[in-house]
Amino acid sequence: KLTNFLDNYVEALYILYRICRVSSGYKAVQLKEILESVRGAIYDSVNPEFLNYINDKIKSNSKKISDKDFENLNPFHWRVDFGIIIKNGGFDIIIGNPPYGNILSDIEKKILEKGKILDVIKTDKKGKGTKNTAAIFIERSKYLLKNNGYLGYIVPKAILYVSEWEKTRKFLLDMVDIKRVVDNGKAFKDVKLEMATIIFKNCNNGADKIIVHNLYLYEYSKYSTCPYHIDKKYLTCKRFI
């Protein structure tokens, strides 16, 4: 029922958005107000359903998430605001420098971990997890891409070797086709943290070779000062360098 509701309203929202983009003057102002009203109505219906879904996932001996706490998060729903793109399979390309660090609120962590939405956040028998938001963005973005779509992120260099990123490395090795790994060092003038670039294709049956750059290859005992093709087997979930 909710799916049918979403499909119909998201399509209406998209049509209004396209008309609004080519409108001007008072007509554009009116259309924008209608657009915001329709979007608000969709969110008013989706938010309670999503909260119920999360709370159903949380074990009975754990505290549920209250309506007020959830509302204060001001949640964003990809399937609403980019509904047509998601319906058509997702984005062709995602490029970015996602936020990083342990910056999530306790409620956000609870939604992601207890709600079983993402895997890289949890430490379990598969490996060590991380609450670093860059890792969370990597996993979430994979599911926003089209099949065979591409992602390029510049993220903390810790992704290459720190133990808490183990499940993120495993996710990259198992779930996507890594195309390039670059050690950027200090990539930004006013940022002391060293960075790395990860580029992957959204498929898990890719080539056996990966291009690396400025990487000391721990298993391979070679430093790649220039872009260098190596066998994927030299990158492991324990470490990439």
Side-chain angles (χ1 to χ4, degrees):
K1 187 176 180 181
L2 181 62
T3 300
N4 293 335
F5 167 88
L6 266 181
D7 288 343
N8 292 335
Y9 273 82
V10 165
E11 188 171 350
L13 193 68
Y14 179 66
I15 292 170
L16 282 170
Y17 171 72
R18 293 194 64 180
I19 296 172
C20 190
R21 283 187 62 187
V22 296
S23 300
S24 59
Y26 182 61
K27 181 181 178 181
V29 174
Q30 286 183 306
L31 283 170
K32 187 176 180 180
E33 290 176 356
I34 295 171
L35 196 64
E36 290 299 322
S37 178
V38 172
R39 182 180 183 272
I42 297 173
Y43 266 67
D44 287 344
S45 295
V46 171
N47 280 341
E49 293 287 342
F50 184 67
L51 179 57
N52 288 338
Y53 169 81
I54 295 298
N55 279 331
D56 285 345
K57 295 279 187 181
I58 296 174
K59 293 179 180 179
S60 57
N61 60 346
S62 297
K63 185 180 178 182
K64 305 291 185 178
I65 297 168
S66 69
D67 292 346
K68 184 178 180 180
D69 284 339
F70 185 75
E71 185 179 338
N72 288 338
L73 293 177
N74 192 23
F76 176 87
H77 297 289
W78 287 94
R79 200 174 161 205
V80 174
D81 291 279
F82 290 92
I84 296 300
I85 291 174
I86 303 301
K87 186 177 180 180
N88 290 331
F91 292 90
D92 295 301
I93 299 172
I94 296 176
I95 299 173
N97 171 215
Y100 52 84
N102 187 4
I103 60 175
L104 296 177
S105 68
D106 290 340
I107 295 296
E108 288 169 323
K109 291 174 185 175
K110 190 170 186 176
I111 289 173
L112 292 171
E113 190 167 10
K114 302 293 185 183
K116 300 178 181 178
I117 293 177
L118 297 174
D119 188 54
V120 299
I121 196 171
K122 301 187 295 292
T123 294
D124 54 28
K125 61 183 180 181
K126 297 178 186 176
K128 290 188 177 180
T130 178
K131 293 179 175 62
N132 193 302
T133 51
I136 294 166
F137 266 69
I138 287 171
E139 182 177 353
R140 184 69 183 98
S141 296
K142 180 256 190 294
Y143 298 109
L144 294 174
L145 278 173
K146 282 183 176 178
N147 290 334
N148 298 316
Y150 280 84
L151 175 140
Y153 271 168
I154 183 164
V155 295
K157 185 178 172 179
I159 192 176
L160 303 179
Y161 60 92
V162 172
S163 60
E164 72 170 22
W165 290 77
E166 181 180 357
K167 285 186 73 176
T168 306
R169 291 189 290 271
K170 180 173 174 56
F171 176 83
L172 289 168
L173 290 167
D174 292 349
M175 301 299 293
V176 298
D177 178 20
I178 305 172
K179 292 296 184 183
R180 187 179 292 253
V181 179
V182 182
D183 180 353
N184 300 108
K186 293 184 179 180
F188 304 112
K189 183 179 179 181
D190 298 322
V191 179
K192 294 181 180 179
L193 190 67
E194 293 192 358
M195 310 297 284
T197 296
I198 304 290
I199 298 173
F200 68 70
K201 184 178 181 181
N202 190 21
C203 65
N204 55 9
N205 58 348
D208 294 328
K209 299 283 187 179
I210 296 174
I211 298 175
V212 296
H213 195 180
N214 289 344
L215 235 59
Y216 177 77
L217 308 168
Y218 180 72
E219 295 285 343
Y220 198 57
S221 296
K222 183 177 178 64
Y223 186 79
S224 61
T225 54
C226 298
Y228 191 81
H229 285 84
I230 63 165
D231 289 336
K232 190 180 291 185
K233 66 182 181 181
Y234 291 111
L235 303 187
T236 71
C237 62
K238 293 298 180 184
R239 60 190 299 147
F240 279 7
I241 60 174

